[in-house]
Amino acid sequence: MSKRRNCRRTPEEVMAHEKATKIRKMTDSQMMDYLEGLHKEAYDAGYALAGSETKPQELSEEQENTVEKFLWHLQENKVPGIGAVTVNKLLKVAEENGYV
């Protein structure tokens, strides 16, 4: 594969090339500072996004016991691949963890 001529590069390719060259010429400590800065920015952005999410509202009486309703639905409707043994295992785990 031949090298692409500079005059044929798009502006985005020129910017990417300049950034890559700048990173390649960094010393080890400069590169680590750069990467740690990127990591910190991404972490802070994710933390801010998680904090801005709304908290779940209280469940109404219609929405309560959804695990019980789901397991009942599995028992009543024959779902391919989910047999009586699997439903019983799910019921046992739900009871042990306080969902039912």
Side-chain angles (χ1 to χ4, degrees), residues 2-10 13:
S2 64
K3 185 176 176 181
R4 188 173 187 148
R5 295 181 59 176
N6 288 339
C7 63
R8 304 276 189 241
R9 288 186 183 159
T10 64
E13 290 174 331

Side-chain angles (χ1 to χ4, degrees), residues 17 19 22 34 77 82 89:
H17 175 73
K19 189 173 183 178
K22 187 177 173 183
Y34 175 74
N77 302 318
I82 301 178
K89 288 178 186 178

Side-chain angles (χ1 to χ4, degrees), residues 27-46:
T27 63
D28 289 346
S29 63
Q30 289 173 328
M31 195 175 301
M32 289 305 300
D33 291 341
Y34 175 74
L35 292 174
E36 288 171 356
L38 287 177
H39 179 265
K40 184 177 180 344
E41 288 176 16
Y43 182 83
D44 292 342

Side-chain angles (χ1 to χ4, degrees), residues 2-93:
S2 64
K3 185 176 176 181
R4 188 173 187 148
R5 295 181 59 176
N6 288 339
C7 63
R8 304 276 189 241
R9 288 186 183 159
T10 64
E12 293 84 22
E13 290 174 331
V14 171
M15 287 175 42
H17 175 73
E18 289 174 0
K19 189 173 183 178
T21 303
K22 187 177 173 183
I23 292 171
R24 278 195 304 269
K25 290 185 177 186
M26 288 181 181
T27 63
D28 289 346
S29 63
Q30 289 173 328
M31 195 175 301
M32 289 305 300
D33 291 341
Y34 175 74
L35 292 174
E36 288 171 356
L38 287 177
H39 179 265
K40 184 177 180 344
E41 288 176 16
Y43 182 83
D44 292 342
Y47 189 78
L49 179 65
S52 67
E53 291 179 0
T54 58
K55 294 183 180 177
Q57 300 175 354
E58 293 295 321
L59 296 176
S60 66
E61 289 183 23
E62 297 172 356
Q63 294 173 327
E64 288 182 3
N65 301 326
T66 55
V67 173
E68 288 180 36
K69 289 179 183 177
F70 175 71
L71 293 174
W72 177 82
H73 180 73
L74 285 177
Q75 284 178 330
E76 294 299 314
N77 302 318
K78 302 297 180 190
V79 179
I82 301 178
V85 175
T86 304
V87 172
N88 289 335
K89 288 178 186 178
L90 290 172
L91 279 169
K92 181 182 175 187
V93 171

